[in-house]
Amino acid sequence: MSKYIATRAIRGANALVTEAEIMLNKALKEKGAETPVSFPNTAYYLPTILGMTGRAVEKLGDLQPIIKYARDLLHPIPAFAKWTPYLGETLDSGMATLLAAETIEAVRFVYGLQPEPMPGFKLAGGTSFTSPDANGALTPSPSPEGRGENGDGHLNGPIDDIQLRSWGIQLVDGRMPGFAAIVGCAKSNEVAVKIVRELQRRNILTFLSGNVNGRSIIHQLQEEGVELGYDTYTVPFGTDTISAIYALGFATRSALTFGGLKPGQSREILLYNKERVFAFVLALGEVDDLKYAAAAGAINFGFPVIADTVIPEILPTGVTTYEHVVSMPFNTIEGKDDLERAERLVQKCIEVRGVKVKVSNVDVPVPYGSAFEGEVVRKADLRVEFGGKHSRAFEYLHMAKLDEVTDGKIEVIGKGFEDVPPQGATDLGIIIKVAGRQMQQDFEPVLERQVHYFVNGASGIQHVGQRDIAWIRVSNNAADKGFNLEHFGKILHARFHEDFGAIVDKVEVTIVTDPALHAEWLEKARVAYDFRNKRLADLTDDKVDEFYSCTLCQSFAPNHVCVVSPERLGLCGAYNWLDCKASFSINPTGPNQPIKLGKQLDDRKGYWQGTNDYARIGSHGVVQEVSMYSIMENPMTACGCFECIVMLIPEANGVMVVSREDTSMTPAGMTFSTLAGIAGGGLQTPGVMGVGKFYLISPKFISSDGGFKRVVWMSSVLKQSMNDEFKAVCEREGDPDLLDKIADERNVTTVDELLAWLEAHNHPAMAMEPMF
């Protein structure tokens, strides 16, 4: 253990705990001990403090024992004359640093100083702020109005629970292999952009914080026009080092959300992160005492630290999987120029943490990777769009015989968009013809849906919808770099071979803008869509002899098992029965395995010998039985990336359905985030269940408990976004007005209000047999 590192980390920790203590005492005096304190949109209070101590901080006074505990963790600076192992003392001081940092950010929230204002953004009242000084302090200055990364003139601040859960499936299926916490400032703007682009290309989530002499990597990326935010996997927390605590809070919540761990299980949470959350810290520029202290805190989680400056190293393994601290001075990295050195720096970070990455090699003139899947092309940035209000776009994938497909052939029939006026629109058809010895017709819609993800991976391209309601936008920046219609074909050819090579041997893509041919192929596509709809409608649980397992989430929730049937998709909403069937064909030893149903034990509740046997094996004995059609008896478990929560409301003799996107209070007296702690983590809780939203319209939705007629309350975002689907379900249930009888947060937030609503609207659940 380096004495130099220990000295600086312990010194930095002592200073920060003292600073937190002073800030807290000032806040207690000015605001009072009963003043509420919290991070926004999370059920995990102050998450690092909650996870490490088990204490739920709800008011300022609750922080006093936290600071005392942090001070108890501190150690004196190592004596000059003695040389002893300092690792334990340094790690303790690192943890004290994290507790103090979260305390400081909480106090800042009380004073309205978090999330941090964007540099140069004018707040209400005319005050604006420049970059922070060397200590991270903001100073007022005249400045034009601007727009912040969270849309209201502020940096991101702590990640909310909704975003954490929406990233869940990407974390568990490998599309997002890990996260990087970057602290400081790169050698140049160009190097900063290159580092972030290399991380995006590998789909690594990136958190930004800290500064060197008042200048942050956040400033560098903003100056170069790099889009920051959730949509691009590049999240700016703040321009001081303290804001890096939000990255550790994210890691803590990952363990609590997906791992089924409880607040206060500090050792288990730290081990969970070491073994399952592949993260690292990249320190850019000078490393001061506070950064050393924060790095020691990160090492507690098993996250190594890589610096681009000369610092002592800690190379033996132990707390981390491989090296603890690695020094890679930027100017000594081999490479022909700074950009190549930046790429090698990123490669070293990935190597030290052991992140397993998959890079798609797609021949397009713009950056490409899953990090760009959520990118939005706004009207001001728009070069051309296909579909939407002003044109028609469709996508159609169909299989053919091997000798009827020319692999790699990409043909554009009709004009390109060069002659379309800026911000104009034109019709587009994307026709993909595939062939393969293992290809099946049932796989056509599975592969066709991938067009959305594959096209969205290109920076500056936005894709929404599917089939004949696709909507694609190309940005000015992408067009200026040379992106054209042929590149859609190159993307699809490369990605279908990469992701579906086990079943697809040949891929041919035709891009159609010619009006006559567009109309002809659109009609052919619609005939195929109709055929598939009828095929899917006929595909029911009683028509197959096997379901499929999905164990993708076991990388985060080791005892959770998802059973996917034709009438019950995965709770994340991303995988249905056909998806799993295709996945098994692609990877016979992968996460989707066939479950032979065997003897049916209960057709009403959905018990089979095969599903029960698999539940026992897949959950390592934690779950003995699983009912496919009941919420009240042995319901299916969940990890944490479910789209909705279904929960019994006993007084109403029905269930409520809460959307992941709904942050409001429910009649159960809890928000979605709080409910998720009951439903997730691989726990089997009768009366509570995480589901995919399209399971709600299945005839098998809690069918043994009464089905859709049991829904008495539902988040309005679901009622609005799935209005047509729910109306069809109400018709099927014989009550066309049922949706209007279901309450939502706009009119009901308590049980008493719910009961009054149900009675006033004559909801059928009030007359149904008791649920238990």
Side-chain angles (χ1 to χ4, degrees):
M1 175 68 199
S2 165
K3 180 180 180 181
Y4 180 85
I5 291 178
T7 298
R8 298 203 64 180
I10 293 172
R11 188 166 63 204
N14 275 275
L16 193 70
V17 170
T18 298
E19 180 181 345
E21 195 170 40
I22 293 170
M23 286 184 67
L24 177 59
N25 288 337
K26 179 175 181 288
L28 288 168
K29 182 178 179 180
E30 295 177 355
K31 301 290 187 178
E34 297 301 312
T35 300
V37 60
S38 67
F39 287 169
N41 299 326
T42 180
Y44 296 102
Y45 304 95
L46 306 183
T48 307
I49 291 172
L50 179 69
M52 295 301 106
T53 71
R55 291 177 178 268
V57 174
E58 298 183 75
K59 52 186 185 292
L60 273 175
D62 295 336
L63 285 168
Q64 290 177 293
I66 302 302
I67 288 298
K68 181 181 183 305
Y69 178 62
R71 187 161 290 287
D72 290 343
L73 288 172
L74 294 175
H75 294 268
I77 295 172
F80 178 77
K82 294 183 179 179
W83 191 275
T84 60
Y86 307 112
L87 181 60
E89 289 89 340
T90 305
L91 292 176
D92 283 350
S93 297
M95 185 56 67
T97 302
L98 302 185
L99 300 179
E102 200 161 67
T103 296
I104 289 172
E105 295 293 43
V107 172
R108 286 174 171 176
F109 265 106
V110 169
Y111 281 94
L113 300 176
Q114 279 289 304
E116 179 185 324
M118 285 282 290
F121 182 81
K122 184 182 289 184
L123 297 177
T127 302
S128 62
F129 294 85
T130 60
S131 305
D133 61 23
N135 297 315
L138 291 165
T139 55
S141 73
S143 173
E145 293 190 19
R147 184 178 182 279
E149 296 310 322
N150 66 358
D152 65 354
H154 293 81
L155 297 179
N156 198 84
I159 291 173
D160 63 41
D161 289 351
I162 295 172
Q163 188 59 49
L164 171 67
R165 293 180 188 281
S166 69
W167 277 334
I169 188 62
Q170 297 174 61
L171 287 165
V172 302
D173 71 6
R175 277 182 290 159
M176 185 188 286
F179 77 77
I182 300 181
V183 182
C185 180
K187 178 183 177 182
S188 67
N189 286 14
E190 292 74 21
V191 169
V193 172
K194 181 63 173 177
I195 288 172
V196 167
R197 291 302 188 211
E198 288 300 312
L199 291 168
Q200 287 177 320
R201 193 164 70 91
R202 293 164 173 83
N203 308 324
I204 293 173
L205 180 61
T206 303
F207 300 139
L208 308 172
S209 59
N211 71 84
V212 176
N213 296 323
R215 186 159 171 79
S216 171
I217 187 173
I218 296 173
H219 305 133
Q220 294 178 302
L221 297 174
Q222 287 178 317
E223 289 164 7
E224 298 303 313
V226 175
E227 187 173 351
L228 306 179
Y230 290 155
D231 292 343
T232 58
Y233 285 21
T234 309
V235 184
F237 283 148
T239 57
D240 66 359
T241 302
I242 294 172
S243 63
I245 186 60
Y246 297 140
L248 281 307
F250 178 85
T252 302
R253 282 188 292 158
S254 294
L256 297 172
T257 301
F258 303 115
L261 299 178
K262 301 299 181 186
Q265 291 184 296
S266 55
R267 183 176 185 275
E268 291 80 2
I269 290 170
L270 297 177
L271 287 173
Y272 178 95
N273 275 277
K274 175 185 177 181
E275 295 164 2
R276 298 179 183 275
V277 179
F278 292 90
F280 56 86
V281 177
L282 174 55
L284 300 177
E286 179 188 355
V287 181
D288 57 24
D289 287 355
L290 178 55
K291 289 176 184 173
Y292 274 109
I299 290 172
N300 275 287
F301 283 75
F303 302 161
V305 179
I306 300 88
D308 73 342
T309 53
V310 178
I311 64 172
E313 296 185 308
I314 306 175
L315 300 180
T317 61
V319 181
T320 58
T321 305
Y322 301 114
E323 297 88 349
H324 294 77
V325 179
V326 173
S327 173
M328 200 173 181
F330 192 81
N331 290 331
T332 67
I333 301 173
E334 290 186 13
K336 62 183 181 183
D337 55 27
D338 282 352
L339 297 186
E340 187 172 316
R341 282 187 274 273
E343 182 176 356
R344 295 197 176 189
L345 178 62
V346 170
Q347 291 172 350
K348 184 65 174 180
C349 294
I350 291 168
E351 171 195 328
V352 171
R353 183 59 181 102
V355 183
K356 304 300 181 184
V357 299
K358 183 176 77 171
V359 179
S360 298
N361 294 311
V362 180
D363 184 18
V364 291
V366 296
Y368 188 90
S370 294
F372 302 104
E373 282 182 10
E375 200 172 15
V376 176
V377 177
R378 296 178 174 86
K379 188 72 173 178
D381 303 323
L382 177 64
R383 169 62 187 87
V384 66
E385 64 181 344
F386 312 98
K389 294 180 181 179
H390 307 295
S391 58
R392 171 72 69 181
F394 73 90
E395 300 152 354
Y396 173 44
L397 182 145
H398 64 104
M399 64 179 292
K401 296 179 181 177
L402 281 165
D403 58 4
E404 295 175 349
V405 180
T406 303
D407 186 47
K409 180 181 178 181
I410 300 168
E411 186 177 12
V412 178
I413 304 177
K415 295 182 178 181
F417 59 76
E418 295 78 12
D419 297 330
V420 178
Q423 300 186 345
T426 188
D427 291 344
L428 180 74
I430 300 178
I431 302 152
I432 308 117
K433 187 161 59 171
V434 300
R437 288 183 171 84
Q438 303 302 317
M439 181 65 189
Q440 301 177 29
Q441 192 174 24
D442 276 348
F443 296 163
E444 287 180 347
V446 176
L447 270 61
E448 190 177 273
R449 283 202 307 277
Q450 305 310 307
V451 173
H452 170 74
Y453 300 104
F454 294 167
V455 170
N456 258 334
S459 176
I461 311 299
Q462 177 185 341
H463 183 288
V464 179
Q466 58 180 314
R467 289 189 170 185
D468 59 349
I469 56 170
W471 182 18
I472 305 173
R473 284 186 155 192
V474 178
S475 71
N476 285 316
N477 189 42
D480 291 343
K481 290 182 177 179
F483 191 94
N484 58 39
L485 294 180
E486 184 182 2
H487 290 117
F488 288 124
K490 289 186 175 183
I491 290 170
L492 297 173
H493 176 261
R495 290 302 306 273
F496 277 120
H497 272 298
E498 179 183 328
D499 288 27
F500 295 92
I503 58 176
V504 171
D505 299 324
K506 292 183 176 182
V507 181
E508 180 179 325
V509 183
T510 303
I511 311 294
V512 177
T513 60
D514 176 77
L517 201 57
H518 182 277
E520 178 185 333
W521 272 103
L522 177 58
E523 184 58 33
K524 290 180 181 179
R526 284 173 171 166
V527 171
Y529 302 154
D530 187 57
F531 173 81
R532 292 173 188 170
N533 289 341
K534 292 175 181 175
R535 163 75 173 130
L536 289 172
D538 292 338
L539 191 62
T540 56
D541 288 1
D542 58 359
K543 298 285 181 63
V544 301
D545 60 4
E546 62 186 20
F547 294 165
Y548 283 90
S549 69
C550 186
T551 57
L552 274 171
C553 296
Q554 285 200 344
S555 59
F556 273 73
N559 297 323
H560 163 59
V561 174
C562 204
V563 179
V564 181
S565 77
E567 295 182 270
R568 182 167 186 171
L569 82 168
L571 58 89
C572 63
Y575 293 87
N576 63 26
W577 187 84
L578 284 176
D579 292 322
C580 293
K581 182 180 179 183
S583 173
F584 176 68
S585 297
I586 295 166
N587 183 6
T589 60
N592 303 122
Q593 296 292 311
I595 301 171
K596 294 295 182 183
L597 296 180
K599 182 181 179 182
Q600 188 169 51
L601 305 177
D602 189 324
D603 62 342
R604 190 174 73 87
K605 295 179 180 178
Y607 286 108
W608 285 265
Q609 188 64 53
T611 53
N612 284 344
D613 290 345
Y614 183 77
R616 282 191 290 274
I617 296 169
S619 70
H620 312 106
V622 173
V623 177
Q624 296 298 309
E625 295 179 300
V626 63
S627 167
M628 293 294 292
Y629 310 140
S630 176
I631 189 175
M632 299 304 300
E633 182 178 303
N634 298 318
M636 196 180 299
T637 61
C639 54
C641 47
F642 33 75
E643 294 183 300
C644 309
I645 294 173
V646 184
M647 182 177 184
L648 172 70
I649 304 293
E651 300 90 338
N653 199 34
V655 299
M656 69 175 184
V657 182
V658 191
S659 169
R660 182 171 64 196
E661 300 170 4
D662 185 357
T663 60
S664 62
M665 185 57 65
T666 70
M670 294 177 278
T671 62
F672 179 93
S673 293
T674 305
L675 290 167
I678 304 171
L683 303 175
Q684 192 174 53
T685 309
V688 185
M689 190 165 62
V691 301
K693 63 184 180 182
F694 282 100
Y695 176 50
L696 302 172
I697 65 175
S698 168
K700 294 298 186 182
F701 170 66
I702 60 169
S703 55
S704 73
D705 303 315
F708 194 78
K709 286 185 177 180
R710 288 290 190 184
V711 179
V712 295
W713 189 97
M714 179 188 292
S715 296
S716 61
V717 65
L718 284 173
K719 294 171 75 172
Q720 293 166 354
S721 63
M722 296 180 64
N723 185 266
D724 291 343
E725 291 90 343
F726 286 139
K727 284 184 176 179
V729 172
C730 294
E731 292 281 353
R732 185 189 71 209
E733 295 292 319
D735 190 344
D737 299 324
L738 178 57
L739 192 60
D740 295 330
K741 301 174 183 178
I742 298 173
D744 59 50
E745 78 282 0
R746 295 171 297 186
N747 37 58
V748 166
T749 57
T750 68
V751 169
D752 289 340
E753 291 174 351
L754 178 60
L755 294 176
W757 171 279
L758 298 177
E759 189 162 338
H761 290 79
N762 194 29
H763 193 289
M766 303 299 284
M768 296 172 73
E769 63 179 304
M771 289 191 71
F772 65 100

